[in-house]
Amino acid sequence: MGPSDGDKVEGSSSGAGEDLRECEIEGKMEGSVDQISHLALDIGGSLVKLVYFKGNNNCSDDDKKGERIGFSNGSGTYPILDGRLHFAKFETSKINECIDFIYSRQLHRGGCWHHEAPVSENTIIKATGGGAYKFADLFKEKLGVGLDKEDEMDCLVAGANFLLKAVHHEAFTYMDGQKEFVQIDHNDLYPYLLVNIGSGVSMIKVDGDGKFERVSGTSVGGGTFWGLGRLLTKCKSFDELLELSHRGNNRVIDMLVGEIYGGMEYAKIGLSSTTIASSFGKAISENKELEDYRPEDVARSLLRLISNNIGQISYLTALRFGLKRIFFGGFFIRGHAYTMDTISVAVHFWSKGEAKAMFLRHEGFLGALGAFMSYEKHGLDDLMLRLERFPISETYSGGKIHSPLPGDFNDHESIECRVYAT
Amino acid sequence: MAGLTEHPVLGITDIKEESNENKATDKVVREEEGEKEMALIAGNSIHRSGSRPQLDLSGAAIQGNFEEKDPTILLPNQSDDISHLALDIGGSLIKLVYFSRHADRSSHDKRKMSIKERLGLLNGNRRSYPILGGRLHFVKFETNKINECLDFISSKQLHRGGMDSRSWHPEAPANENALIKATGGGAYKFADLFKERLGVSLDKEDEMDCLVAGANFLLKAIRHEAFTHIEGRKEFVQIDHNDLFPYLLVNIGSGVSMIKVDGDGKFQRVSGTNVGGGTYWGLGKLLTKCKSFDELLELSQRGDNRTIDMLVGDIYGGMDYNKIGLSASTIASSFGKAISENKELEDYRPEDISLSLLRMISYNIGQIAYLNALRFGLKRIFFGGFFIRGHAYTMDTISFAVHFWSKGDAQAMFLRHEGFLGALGAFMSYEKHGLDDLMVHQLVERFPMGAPYIGGKIHGPPLGDLNEKISWMEKFVQKGTEITAPVPMAPPGTTGLGGFEVPSSKGHSLRSDASALNVGVLHLVPTLEVFPILADSKTYEPNTIDLADHSELEYWFTVLSEHLPDLVDKAVASEGGTDDAKRRGDAFARAFSAHLARLMEEPTAYGKLGLANLLELREECLREFQFVDAYRSIKQRENEASLAVLPDLLMELDSMSEETRLLTLIEGVLAANIFDWGSRACVDLYHKGTIIEIYRMSRKKMQRPWRVDDFDTFKGRMLGSGDKMPHPHKRALLFVDNSGADIVLGMLPLARELLRRGTEVVLVANSLPALNDVTAMELPDIVAEAAKHCDILRRAAEAGGLLVDAMINIQDGSKEKPPSVPLMVVENGCGSPCIDLRQVSSELAAAAKDADLIILEGMGRALHTNFNARFKCDALKLAMVKNQRLAEKLIKGNIYDCVCRYEPSS
């Protein structure tokens, strides 16, 4: 394959501050637009994640010429399409909004309104996540497209491998509020533990491209945080709940070691008095009801419970298989500082400092990206190692899809890439 | 950011739940009560002989302490004044372990001394220092009712060494230095209260030390302490003491501690989780408004977690996710469905919420525990702590998690005394607790009257004497709680469970969870030993019938229930038929029915249950209501009748050839075994004739071949073949069964034959009465009476020291003959119609060492138990099967078929 060309990554801080939260990876795509699907979906229990490619001059008749850069791989020259990979999220419960979004942009037809032809009977969209099964009929009915189900784990791993290899500074650690990017040596990437925190949590041991095994998991995940949090705080959204937790104090509800032992350190077994002995352990107090606790404090305790637990099980699982690196991804994290911090602290605590939790900038889109990668002709997989920096590009904006994400999700960076057909 | 200074995680076992506002008011109340209590103690002490102020039963009918306290056995503590009490004061429960010392019942009568001397029991081959026997009691209180606990301790004077302590002087103030070992967070919190109320200091023991010491003790000292719990089925596991370590101990309190145990006192806390019992209760309380932990648990039993948990099937449109081994019903996300926008907290059933929560926490603990066991290469994981509480679903979930994650390689195990680990460990921390080298075979667990009701849960203030027990039982019945076996008990109505943590308002069952296990009183009997000539004591299982088979269980419960009225009649008659006896008889019937009902409801409630245990339970229950010997008069009558015809029988036998005589003797044993008041069929027979008539009729019917007939092999060993005369056995142990014809016309003539052949004979009989079984106490008189008509028996009994009081006039007559081999009597150490050879008296164990022939006679000892037992010496098992079901099951035969099973030593 071609030696010289590559995709480019661009960090950008000039992203949209608008409602729509999207990331974009710019790229170039080669080949006939209408032969290549440009959309892939990850339909989870809580969120639908979209990845779609949009040429820089999308749908113009001359896109094939104008954007093409000569590229030779020894057997011929292939057309290359410059463009961007866009990322979008919807709540699964509002899947109709997602379908409207796809329809309004004609993403299922390659994103071009002027393709007058009816949607082909054979048009398929790569999709993963449990909802790819559940909502297949709905997509057929509303958009006339079939969902081509890709295995969820395959997609997660493909997405993570792509990001870790292709995107400079994709991984970072987060401790004490400090984010530190980690340069992963591509030759020393495997094996690693990929912890995907969706509604539930999957822990996957990754040994190479397409080589992986789901070795563990837990049902206490993002769905638990949101579900229990809703019941306990009446929050209207996941993000609101996260926001609340940011302002809370878990000591009001959690029982600390010091409270059992009258403020004495329980040093003998290495616990300090401020260690949480029992999450929600103080809530057993007889004279307090749910209404007597601040929702902020409840949210905080819940977040710590779940983050701690995931961090602990992940560490034990990594230990079991002798894995040095643990990458956490999935929508639960969402770049939320406090979540990352509690997970990092848990891993640090249980490993006695030997293991570090790492996070991915594009953590929420592993599955969707992996589904996108599964199109046979996108050609991205050969380009991963040849990324270049592209100039800052504008983030797509517009349309109110769902409420804004809080926190400092990395920047509204976009990744520009070239995509070409083989 | 506040969070950054906090540390994640972990689990400690106990809880502190009181708010500050409560403390102030509590204190005042306590002080007032403290004054009252002091007055009560003073008043009480004057009348301590039993006229304690009567309990107000109207409000506290079941609040009693139902541990048994049998004054006929209780003797003053003779040795020292160490405290016999230890506490584990947790956030929700206070656990007490206390020890009441009972001296060995060994009597000093000459006959027994003589036997002991002969068996070498007095010559220092026993341990050089005495271990006092006693009872280890387990009691619980709710921490927020700590005053009940203090009252209990005070009324029993446990902090002063117990009422049986001679050192206790009611007038003397408590020793300034009196210390009680205590553990748990409350040991710090309530130290002042104990000082103030009882004048004792709490000596705080480290919690982990106690947990581990308690677990090690239980796992080593109690047979079948551990069990697995899979899909609602408990299976008791016998742990090889030599292969116990290392193991992982997971203690689930408010938080969870995971401890790697490598040996006594050698352990390390390796992990834990902050998601534990406190999380379940705390979150559960916020979400459901439950008032107690048990209420929350009870709710979960009626819940359906699928309404709240997101299952794999919910995500995958009802399909499994086979590729990674997840079925559609696997929970993908706990509480994941609660994100649905159109439902609020009020729209979910509290039952479902409780179950989802329980599932989430149990599963999580199981998973983390397994990962830690794996990390340290530990094969066994024991789970304990208050969170479990014998709750079936909790145990199932934890087991499932361990099984699932280990792919079946690891098993979760639970402990019957799980709630008492800490308290037991605190008890063990006394320097002189005397339990150090206690062995499994020295412990007998008994379930006194209250056991089925309280399910090993909270006890209230003590009910002391028998009269209070009976009153309680009558009260219980009056309130409309008719107990009928074998169906489970009806609800208690308004009886009130005031002192118990079972929420009385709910009232559908006496326990919050039917599967909670009952904990009995551990009787420490230092004189018990393992029968030394068992071929393999490790694999020995006394029970032939496994009551884990529910139809078998049901059958025996029906048999016992139907037999109950007759037994009560006999028992009442044996005590003279007085009004008092009738009252006690009623109370016994109800108490025993309650045991049966409890066991029908939860067959494993009392641990591993065999038929032998069930039959012994009945005898113990009779004794609890002071029916010393229900069949006393029947036994006497039948002994007399049989002894009257014995001379004729002996003459008949002596006229026979050796070969015919041996056969007739065995036929006689089998025929006489028909006289069994434990068998319904035989009781019916009694109405049809006199003893000797039945005996002769029965013997005539002894047509060989019997259903199991090894007589010829036995005869070959006894008589040899051709000219070869085999050497006689050195010593035979004869395990005898019933009184009357069975012993007099069956076993005694057989014993006589053995004696005549130069074999020493040891008659092994019950220590305590059971049905019409002959006891070791009764045997010497029977032998003496028989010896009047038989020179062989007389000289042997004399040689065996059975005729200490008399017969001097006969001595000159025996001078010409060589001294006889002895005929001896030893007690077997038990009071049951069956016998568990892992726990026999030291005398029997000593006698067995030289034995080369064992004869087990009767259904109880040769069929129900020991049918499959193998011995190091020759063994003969003789019985008539007087039960159709057993006949079919065991020998594929019919009622009245006979078993003559001879197994030569291998």
Side-chain angles (χ1 to χ4, degrees), chain B residues 494-620:
Chain B
T494 56
T495 311
L497 292 166
F500 303 88
E501 61 176 346
V502 180
S504 53
S505 59
K506 304 200 70 81
H508 6 58
S509 85
L510 283 159
R511 289 157 300 278
S512 62
D513 179 8
S515 73
L517 298 179
N518 302 65
V519 172
V521 175
L522 284 181
H523 291 229
L524 277 57
V525 190
T527 54
L528 291 181
E529 292 184 26
V530 178
F531 193 57
I533 46 180
L534 280 173
D536 182 359
S537 59
K538 277 208 174 95
T539 59
Y540 168 80
E541 165 61 48
N543 288 289
T544 311
I545 303 289
D546 187 2
L547 292 186
D549 173 352
H550 201 265
S551 68
E552 201 65 45
L553 188 67
E554 225 163 311
Y555 171 77
W556 286 105
F557 283 163
T558 310
V559 167
L560 292 179
S561 300
E562 284 174 356
H563 187 236
L564 194 55
D566 184 53
L567 178 60
V568 173
D569 286 350
K570 294 254 175 356
V572 172
S574 77
E575 296 283 312
T578 61
D579 284 350
D580 170 63
K582 281 176 190 152
R583 267 186 87 207
R584 285 189 281 131
D586 281 350
F588 156 73
R590 295 184 200 290
F592 185 60
S593 298
H595 282 302
L596 289 181
R598 174 67 184 130
L599 288 168
M600 269 311 265
E601 180 186 46
E602 176 54 59
T604 53
Y606 296 175
K608 190 174 165 70
L609 185 73
L611 184 55
N613 308 87
L614 200 54
L615 296 176
E616 180 164 23
L617 183 67
R618 181 174 63 178
E619 300 302 329
E620 285 301 318

Side-chain angles (χ1 to χ4, degrees), chain A residues 89-107:
Chain A
K89 295 176 189 174
F90 298 85
E91 290 185 32
T92 305
S93 57
K94 295 172 181 166
I95 188 135
N96 283 324
E97 288 182 10
C98 171
I99 288 171
D100 292 345
F101 177 84
I102 293 170
Y103 183 78
S104 69
R105 283 161 184 76
Q106 290 291 300
L107 298 175

Side-chain angles (χ1 to χ4, degrees), chain A residues 43-46 91 93-94 129-131 133-134 151-154 176-177 199-202 212 214-224 226-228 230-232 234 236 246 249-251 253 255 257 259-262 264 266 268-269 271-272 274-281 283-291 293 298 300 302 304-305 308-309 312-313 315-317 319-320 337-338 341 345-346 349-350 352, chain B residues 1-19 21-22 144 184-186 188 206-209 254-258 267 269-283 285-287 289 291 308 310 314-317 319 321 323-324 326 331-346 348 353 357 360 363-364 367-368 370-372 374-375 404-405 407:
Chain A
I43 312 178
S46 316
E91 290 185 32
S93 57
K94 295 172 181 166
Y133 297 86
K134 194 170 172 180
D151 180 79
E152 193 167 358
M153 297 292 153
D154 289 340
D176 300 340
S199 299
V201 182
S202 282
F212 64 89
R214 182 185 191 274
V215 291
S216 194
T218 165
S219 68
V220 186
T224 313
W226 190 356
L228 264 177
R230 263 196 86 245
L231 297 181
L232 289 164
K234 311 229 182 300
K236 291 290 175 246
H246 203 61
N249 177 7
N250 72 303
R251 296 182 184 208
I253 297 173
M255 186 186 295
V257 167
E259 291 167 311
I260 295 177
Y261 290 90
M264 294 168 53
Y266 206 56
K268 186 182 169 189
I269 52 173
L271 300 178
S272 88
T274 54
T275 301
I276 299 176
S278 175
S279 289
F280 287 87
I284 65 174
S285 154
E286 285 189 7
N287 49 1
K288 280 178 112 174
E289 302 289 324
L290 180 54
E291 297 71 36
Y293 294 98
V298 172
R300 179 83 156 222
L302 192 57
R304 289 205 50 141
L305 182 162
N308 272 344
N309 199 59
Q312 180 179 16
I313 294 176
Y315 166 67
L316 286 169
T317 303
L319 194 70
R320 175 179 177 187
Y338 193 65
D341 204 73
V345 170
F349 178 91
W350 288 109
K352 297 192 170 72
Chain B
M1 194 184 295
L4 301 185
T5 62
E6 294 161 1
H7 299 259
V9 201
L10 281 267
I12 295 295
T13 335
D14 283 303
I15 299 176
K16 174 174 151 179
E17 71 222 271
E18 249 173 300
S19 72
E21 296 109 273
N22 272 349
N144 59 18
Y188 296 88
D206 178 80
E207 195 165 349
M208 297 284 160
D209 288 342
S254 297
V256 182
S257 283
M258 300 184 187
F267 63 90
R269 183 184 189 281
V270 293
S271 194
T273 161
N274 49 315
V275 185
T279 313
Y280 175 60
W281 191 357
L283 265 176
K285 194 167 173 294
L286 296 182
L287 291 165
K289 314 238 183 292
K291 293 288 176 247
I308 295 178
M310 185 185 291
D314 293 325
I315 299 177
Y316 288 88
M319 291 157 65
Y321 190 2
K323 187 180 172 189
I324 52 172
L326 298 178
I331 297 177
S333 174
S334 293
F335 286 86
K337 265 189 207 156
I339 65 173
S340 151
E341 286 193 359
N342 48 7
K343 282 177 105 173
E344 300 296 321
L345 179 54
E346 297 70 35
Y348 294 96
I353 290 175
L357 204 53
M360 174 179 105
Y363 196 82
N364 196 60
Q367 180 177 15
I368 293 176
Y370 166 66
L371 285 170
N372 277 296
L374 193 72
R375 176 179 174 188
F404 178 85
W405 291 109
K407 298 192 169 73

